[in-house]
Amino acid sequence: MARVRKTVTIRDVAEDAGVSLQTVSRVVNGGPNVRPQLRDKVRASIDRLGYVPSLAAQRMSGSRSYIILAINDRERTLADWRARLGTDWVDQMLLGGILTCSQHGYRMMVELVDTHSDHVERELGAALSALQPDGVLLTPPHSENRLITQLLAERNIPFARIGSNAPGPGIPLTMGDESAAHLATSRLIELGHRRIAMIAGPPQYSLSGWRIDGWKRALDEAGLPHDGLLEVGDFGYASGTRAARALLDRHADLTAIIGSSDQMTLAALEVARDRGLSVPHDLSLISFDNTPIVRFSQPPLTAVDQPIAETVSRAVEQLIARGPDGDDDAVIEVAAGLVERSSTAPPPVEAPAQAHAHAPGRA
């Protein structure tokens, strides 16, 4: 008969270390007034016995729940999962959040909430009441949903707003979207491109506007035009197809496109193929996101690498360190980088105007 392993309790740790239950509790929860020698002794007993404190025990020790709650958009997250598109926003969010929470003795939990729902306050309120998190992490577009931010502020719950730099409660964090778009556009200009278009994301995301601003600023600095070179999508593949077709129909001399998501840029790559354009010899492409799939396209896409994990990690650290009344005015910016691959090159000596026309039999 298999032997049932006895659960190690806080009392076992106290007896092994020869200290009180209160001392063990203070060590486990990072409390003050414990001599270094005693702290080391307790930690040695914890390691030797394999004691793992339960969330219930931690919550009973004080006012903290030791839970950070991340709120992500339900509609977009489920659509990406069901379509198996290879996006990794949630993966990177979990990587940065879970590891950082673990380092501080916290747990990270994720709730999917529909930002367009009439019941968003009820949905979020139920989650807050059930979990009683010490902090909440908001991702776009929730980070700019006033119903959500006001609810958290009214409940005096610290929260971080990723992708938001607007004044108001909460800790604002950005991933340098304007600077990243400026960097991508400037790189294309360095390569010799003079007609550089952008497929932007939907306007309900502030980061879409920031990327447009960075693109325009780089073109303005180089004395290059941007009128008629902008199309707007919804981050999805179909919208990228429509936008790329419109841009190529409108500008026969177009030599570069920056897409505000990997899916829209992959769509632009397919549109270019359909029109007999070679990437990057006839048309250069730069994407945003740098999800795994862009490494395996033909050619692999040059992409702005968004520091999602690092940004979430910074947000979690701020939530744990700050109280509800902390100073949240300063915007924390985590800079993005540009990963160059095979989808960018100097433009052709003459833009392939004839190739931009619809090929026979093509949609």
Side-chain angles (χ1 to χ4, degrees):
M1 182 175 178
R3 187 174 181 181
V4 178
R5 183 177 178 181
K6 179 179 179 291
T7 300
V8 178
T9 67
I10 191 172
R11 187 175 298 278
D12 296 325
V13 175
E15 291 177 355
D16 185 76
V19 299
S20 68
L21 291 173
Q22 290 79 6
T23 298
V24 177
S25 179
R26 283 196 293 270
V27 172
V28 168
N29 294 297
N33 305 322
V34 181
R35 297 196 306 275
Q37 298 91 332
L38 274 183
R39 191 179 300 276
D40 292 343
K41 192 174 183 181
V42 171
R43 286 174 174 167
S45 293
I46 289 172
D47 291 341
R48 181 166 52 253
L49 297 176
Y51 172 65
V52 179
S54 68
L55 282 176
Q58 287 179 304
R59 295 175 80 158
M60 288 171 60
S61 68
S63 59
R64 295 188 177 188
S65 68
Y66 292 89
I67 291 175
I68 298 295
L69 178 63
I71 306 295
N72 214 48
D73 182 54
R74 182 201 306 274
E75 183 179 354
R76 186 171 298 280
T77 301
L78 292 180
D80 287 345
W81 284 347
R82 287 168 176 155
R84 304 178 75 174
L85 294 175
T87 57
D88 68 343
W89 165 270
V90 175
D91 291 346
Q92 291 297 308
M93 180 184 74
L94 293 175
L95 172 64
I98 288 176
L99 289 181
T100 306
C101 280
S102 179
Q103 291 168 3
H104 294 275
Y106 278 70
R107 297 293 184 270
M108 182 173 176
M109 303 189 73
V110 178
E111 286 282 329
L112 300 182
V113 174
D114 184 358
T115 193
H116 304 298
S117 172
D118 295 335
H119 310 298
V120 62
E121 291 178 277
R122 187 176 67 190
E123 288 182 20
L124 181 56
L128 295 175
S129 297
L131 299 173
Q132 298 179 5
D134 291 331
V136 173
L137 179 70
L138 299 177
T139 59
H142 295 322
S143 49
E144 298 184 301
N145 185 321
R146 292 190 63 188
L147 288 176
I148 293 175
T149 57
Q150 287 178 354
L151 176 62
L152 293 170
E154 288 169 0
R155 295 203 179 192
N156 213 30
I157 299 174
F159 61 97
R161 298 182 280 121
I162 292 180
S164 173
N165 64 1
I171 305 166
L173 300 98
T174 71
M175 289 184 279
D177 291 275
E178 181 178 347
S179 298
H182 183 275
L183 174 64
T185 309
S186 297
R187 179 58 185 139
L188 290 168
I189 293 170
E190 289 174 3
L191 290 171
H193 293 273
R194 295 296 176 264
R195 296 288 266 181
I196 303 169
M198 168 168 270
I199 303 175
Q204 61 263 38
Y205 291 78
S206 287
L207 59 85
S208 297
W210 300 336
R211 293 174 186 177
I212 293 172
D213 292 342
W215 165 72
K216 284 184 176 179
R217 180 161 60 88
L219 293 175
D220 287 340
E221 290 170 353
L224 298 176
H226 46 68
D227 289 344
L229 291 169
L230 176 67
E231 285 289 326
V232 175
D234 61 8
F235 295 133
Y237 191 92
S239 71
T241 299
R242 291 191 297 270
R245 286 174 176 169
L247 288 169
L248 291 170
D249 285 344
R250 197 156 60 236
H251 299 284
D253 57 348
L254 188 65
T255 63
I257 296 176
I258 299 172
S260 200
S261 75
D262 286 339
Q263 291 298 319
M264 294 195 298
T265 313
L266 287 169
L269 175 61
E270 187 62 26
V271 170
R273 283 203 190 103
D274 285 347
R275 298 192 175 205
L277 295 172
S278 172
V279 175
H281 302 295
D282 298 326
L283 182 70
S284 285
L285 297 175
I286 294 183
S287 181
F288 265 81
D289 293 340
N290 196 35
T291 54
I293 194 171
V294 301
R295 299 198 298 268
F296 305 109
S297 61
Q298 290 298 324
L301 294 181
T302 294
V304 172
D305 185 47
Q306 292 194 282
I308 299 168
E310 183 182 351
T311 304
V312 171
S313 176
R314 291 280 297 277
V316 168
E317 288 175 345
Q318 292 292 320
L319 288 172
I320 292 173
R322 299 189 190 193
D325 300 321
D327 180 11
D328 304 330
D329 293 334
V331 178
I332 299 171
E333 180 172 302
V334 184
L338 183 67
V339 180
E340 295 200 52
R341 298 193 179 94
S342 305
S343 67
T344 46
V349 176
E350 292 184 5
Q354 296 302 317
H356 286 196
H358 286 284
R362 296 286 188 179

